[in-house]
Amino acid sequence: MSVALQRISQLLTVSIGNVALNPLVTAGLLWVLTKGPPELRGQLTSRVAALRDPHSYAQILKALKWCLALGVTSVLNKQLNHVALNAGRFSTTWKSEKARWNWSQEVAVITGGCSGIGELVVKRLVDKGITVAVLDIQKLPPSLHGSGSIKFFACDITDPSAIYSTAEKINSTLGPPTILINNAGILATHTILNTSDEFLRRIFDVNVLSNWYTIKAFLPNMVKANKGHIITIASTASYAGVAGLADYGATKAAILSFHESLSQELKHHYAAPNVLTTSIHPGWVRTPLLAPMEQELKQRGAAIIEPKDVADAVVASVERCAGGHVFLPASLGGTTALLRGLPSWVQELVRDGVTKTIYKSAK
Ligand SMILES: *[C@@H]1O[C@H](CO)[C@@H](O)[C@H](O)[C@H]1NC(C)=O
Ligand SMILES: *[C@@H]1O[C@H](CO)[C@@H](O)[C@H](O)[C@H]1NC(C)=O
Ligand SMILES: *[C@@H]1O[C@H](CO)[C@@H](O)[C@H](O)[C@H]1NC(C)=O
C-alpha cells in the first residue's frame, strides 16, 4: 500500500514538476495574467475562482514568478552541465555532432558483453545497426547468436597482452572502433578481513585496470580521428564507502577518478574534444547478487532499478552523441555526487543506512 502511494506521489511530483518548472508554461501564464489581452484574462478568471480574489491572485502571481525563476535556473544548469562535459559545445549544436555518426558504419567494443547489463546493451546496439565486438571470458549466450553484427572475441580482460592482441584483430577485421563501453565488473560482499588476496587482485584487475588497457588499445585511433565515445559503467558506490563492499566501492571510486582524468586529458592534452566521455552511476540494480537484500531495500524505500534501465541509459548516451554524467534512477539526479560535499554527520548517516541494509539482509 505505502509503496503504491509512494509511486503515485513520485509520479505526481514528476509530472507537476515538469509543468511547473517549464519556463515556457510559467512565462506564458504570467504573461496572460499580467500583460495578456483582457478577453483571455477574462476567460481565465471566469473559470478559476481563485483568480477573482485579489489576494490569491497576487499569491498565484508570486508562485508563478518563483516557478519561472526555478525553471530558468534548471534549464541553465542543464545547459552548463552539457557545455562543461562536452568541451564547450552547447546542446543546440548536438545536430552537428550527430551528423558525424552513422550507426551502420560504427564499431562498438564492450567488455563483459555476454551476460547481465552488457548482454542487453549488445542487443540494443545491434538493433541500431552498430557492429559490436564483444570481449568476454564467458561464451556468447544463445540470445546473441545469429546476428552478423555481433563479433565475439574470447578475451581475458585482466591480461593486457590479450586485450592488445584482440584490439589488433578488431581493428584489422572490423575497422577502428568508435565506441568503447567499459562494462565488465565483479562484486561480492565480504568484510575487509574476509577478502582473499586472490579476489582483491581480481576485482581490481577486472573493475579498474582493464579500463587502462582498453583505453590504451582503442583511444589512439579515436584521438587521431577526433571522434569516439567512451562509456564508463561506474556506480553510486563511486561516492560512498560502506561495510561489506570495501573492495567494490574502492574500484568504483577509482574508475570515476580515472574517467575524470581521461576527459581532462582528451580536452587539454590530446586536444580531441570530439572524443566524448560518459560515466554512468546506477544505484541498486536488480541482479541475482541483490536478491538477498531486496526485501530490506524495499522496506527502506530504496528504488531498485532493472538491468534494462541501465542498458537503456547506456544506449541513450550513445544515441545522444554527447558526453554526460548519468545517475540512475534519474530521479536521484546528482544528489549522490552531492553527498561528498555534505557535513560529515550527514554523510555518515547515509553510509550507516546503506551498511545496515546490507547487514540485515546478510543475516
Ligand atoms: C551511412 O552509411 C551507409 C553505408 O554504410 C550509407 O549508405 C548512408 O548513406 C550513410 N548515411 C549517411 C547519413 O551518411
Ligand atoms: C587500425 O586500423 C587503421 C586503418 O583502418 C590504421 O590506420 C590504424 O593504424 C590501426 N590502428 C592500430 C592501433 O592498429
Ligand atoms: C571470516 O573470516 C573468519 C576468520 O577467518 C571466519 O571465521 C569466518 O567464518 C569468515 N566469515 C565468512 C562470512 O566467510
Side-chain angles (χ1 to χ4, degrees):
M1 178 63 189
S2 75
V3 172
L5 275 179
Q6 250 177 17
R7 286 277 148 76
I8 292 170
S9 91
Q10 257 172 9
L11 206 71
L12 276 177
T13 328
V14 169
S15 34
I16 291 173
N18 278 347
V19 176
L21 292 184
N22 184 333
L24 291 179
V25 173
T26 44
L29 271 173
L30 263 176
W31 178 78
V32 169
L33 289 178
T34 53
K35 303 205 163 61
E39 316 88 70
L40 205 57
R41 219 176 319 160
Q43 272 187 9
L44 258 182
T45 32
S46 69
R47 297 228 174 107
V48 185
L51 290 175
R52 292 195 287 273
D53 168 27
H55 177 67
S56 49
Y57 190 87
Q59 290 215 312
I60 286 171
L61 282 189
K62 203 166 158 189
L64 276 174
K65 281 179 189 161
W66 271 105
C67 287
L68 178 60
L70 282 174
V72 169
T73 310
S74 152
V75 168
L76 257 177
N77 181 49
K78 273 191 194 144
Q79 261 305 334
L80 285 174
N81 278 341
H82 189 278
V83 167
L85 296 175
N86 286 278
R89 285 188 296 277
F90 283 92
S91 63
T92 42
T93 57
W94 275 355
K95 283 207 178 70
S96 61
E97 184 56 34
K98 271 190 177 156
R100 305 175 69 230
W101 295 80
N102 183 345
W103 303 128
S104 66
Q105 293 183 351
E106 311 299 338
V107 175
V109 171
I110 182 168
T111 61
C114 284
S115 59
I117 293 165
E119 180 183 348
L120 299 173
V121 171
V122 173
K123 270 189 226 152
R124 284 162 172 69
L125 292 179
V126 166
D127 285 346
K128 285 190 63 59
I130 298 173
T131 304
V132 185
V134 178
L135 273 53
D136 209 316
I137 45 171
Q138 302 178 58
K139 275 198 265 177
L140 200 67
S143 69
L144 298 183
H145 285 178
S147 164
S149 303
I150 299 175
K151 310 290 176 193
F152 174 68
F153 297 86
C155 177
D156 176 1
I157 59 163
T158 67
D159 175 4
S161 58
I163 293 196
Y164 303 147
S165 63
T166 303
E168 267 170 32
K169 249 184 269 169
I170 293 173
N171 197 44
S172 60
T173 53
L174 307 177
T178 46
I179 300 164
L180 169 62
I181 303 169
N182 277 321
N183 161 71
I186 57 173
L187 179 159
T189 54
H190 38 218
T191 59
I192 293 169
L193 292 185
N194 274 74
T195 307
S196 73
D197 295 341
E198 200 187 359
F199 185 83
L200 192 57
R201 226 161 245 297
R202 183 158 178 76
I203 194 170
F204 273 84
D205 278 342
V206 174
N207 294 14
V208 183
L209 297 189
S210 71
N211 287 248
W212 260 265
Y213 309 144
T214 54
I215 295 288
K216 283 170 87 172
F218 297 109
L219 187 65
N221 278 327
M222 294 187 193
V223 166
K224 222 191 287 171
N226 192 12
K227 173 181 169 181
H229 199 160
I230 294 156
I231 297 180
T232 301
I233 309 292
S235 165
T236 49
S238 303
Y239 294 99
V242 295
L245 287 173
D247 47 4
Y248 181 77
T251 63
K252 291 300 176 179
I255 60 167
L256 171 60
S257 174
F258 170 76
H259 182 89
E260 288 171 353
S261 297
L262 171 69
S263 310
Q264 286 288 308
E265 287 189 7
L266 282 167
K267 193 159 41 162
H268 299 293
H269 184 83
Y270 295 107
N274 293 321
V275 178
L276 314 166
T277 59
T278 297
S279 67
I280 303 212
H281 301 264
W284 302 103
V285 185
R286 197 187 311 275
T287 60
L289 276 167
L290 195 74
M293 289 183 226
E294 232 183 278
Q295 200 56 34
E296 186 63 28
L297 283 171
K298 273 189 193 147
Q299 271 173 15
R300 287 174 178 266
I304 299 177
I305 52 175
E306 302 293 331
K308 76 168 184 44
D309 299 330
V310 184
D312 286 342
V314 172
V315 178
S317 291
V318 170
E319 280 179 328
R320 256 199 311 276
C321 303
H325 191 180
V326 179
F327 292 90
L328 297 169
S331 59
L332 219 59
T335 47
T336 324
L338 202 65
L339 186 62
R340 288 259 185 246
L342 293 177
S344 303
W345 64 270
V346 183
Q347 293 192 34
E348 195 61 3
L349 274 177
V350 174
R351 288 188 290 258
D352 286 344
V354 179
T355 290
K356 279 181 194 149
T357 306
I358 295 170
Y359 269 57
K360 256 205 171 156
S361 36
K363 273 169 202 155

